[in-house]
Amino acid sequence: MVSLLFTLNTASFAQHEKDKGMKKVMVPISVATALSKKYPGVAKVTWEKEKGNYEANWGGRSGEDSSVQFTPSGEFIEIVKAIPVSELPATVIVYIKEHYKGAKITEAGKVTDAHGTITYEAEVNGKDVIFDKKGSFVKAED
């Protein structure tokens, strides 16, 4: 069950408290409903705003083993599942060594978008470096 608090003054938003009330994110009911329908068993969800969309995070010790994004209307965008760096395609490791000399991959993720397209993310020097399913470089994002 998604842990959300519903506000009394509006029927169109759910309120989630992160870090014991230090940061509040107002999540549209359409988004909260979409999450509970697509992932009915999730618990201890934290919410963030990302580029105008809503990101739900849950699972693992960090609480971010799974990260899913929805548009404000509740349309699914993508899910990112944290993976060990060793599960990235070998070509990703080679690319990072060649283009980010001496840098370490601090996080890795397998991304599946709404169309079922798989990509990989490798966090390096605070940037997400994106690769296609075969491990070919696509782009770097801040």
Side-chain angles (χ1 to χ4, degrees):
M1 182 63 85
V2 178
S3 60
L4 298 173
L5 301 172
F6 292 94
T7 60
L8 297 175
N9 60 353
T10 177
S12 62
F13 282 88
Q15 180 176 312
H16 173 77
E17 295 184 47
K18 183 178 179 183
D19 298 329
K20 298 187 181 186
M22 291 168 50
K23 180 179 178 183
K24 294 181 181 182
V25 175
M26 296 297 290
V27 180
I29 293 295
S30 57
V31 174
T33 301
L35 176 67
S36 64
K37 282 183 180 178
K38 191 156 183 71
Y39 303 99
V42 302
K44 297 183 182 177
V45 176
T46 59
W47 290 95
E48 301 174 36
K49 284 277 290 213
E50 175 138 343
K51 300 177 186 173
N53 295 310
Y54 294 87
E55 181 178 293
N57 298 287
W58 71 89
R61 279 192 244 166
S62 70
E64 296 187 354
D65 276 0
S66 294
S67 172
V68 65
Q69 280 194 39
F70 293 95
T71 65
S73 64
E75 184 180 333
F76 172 76
I77 298 172
E78 68 180 17
I79 184 166
V80 181
K81 295 248 183 201
I83 60 171
V85 172
S86 61
E87 289 184 19
L88 289 168
T91 53
V92 170
I93 307 301
V94 171
Y95 182 91
I96 297 299
K97 284 182 180 178
E98 289 177 0
H99 293 87
Y100 295 88
K101 303 235 186 271
K104 185 176 180 179
I105 299 173
T106 54
E107 292 181 7
K110 182 178 181 180
V111 182
T112 306
D113 71 13
H115 305 291
T117 303
I118 294 173
T119 56
Y120 291 93
E121 289 181 356
E123 186 175 298
V124 181
N125 296 337
K127 292 183 178 186
D128 286 332
V129 186
I130 313 299
F131 299 86
D132 68 15
K133 185 178 179 177
K134 295 179 181 178
S136 298
F137 174 77
V138 174
K139 64 182 175 178
E141 299 177 337
D142 287 329

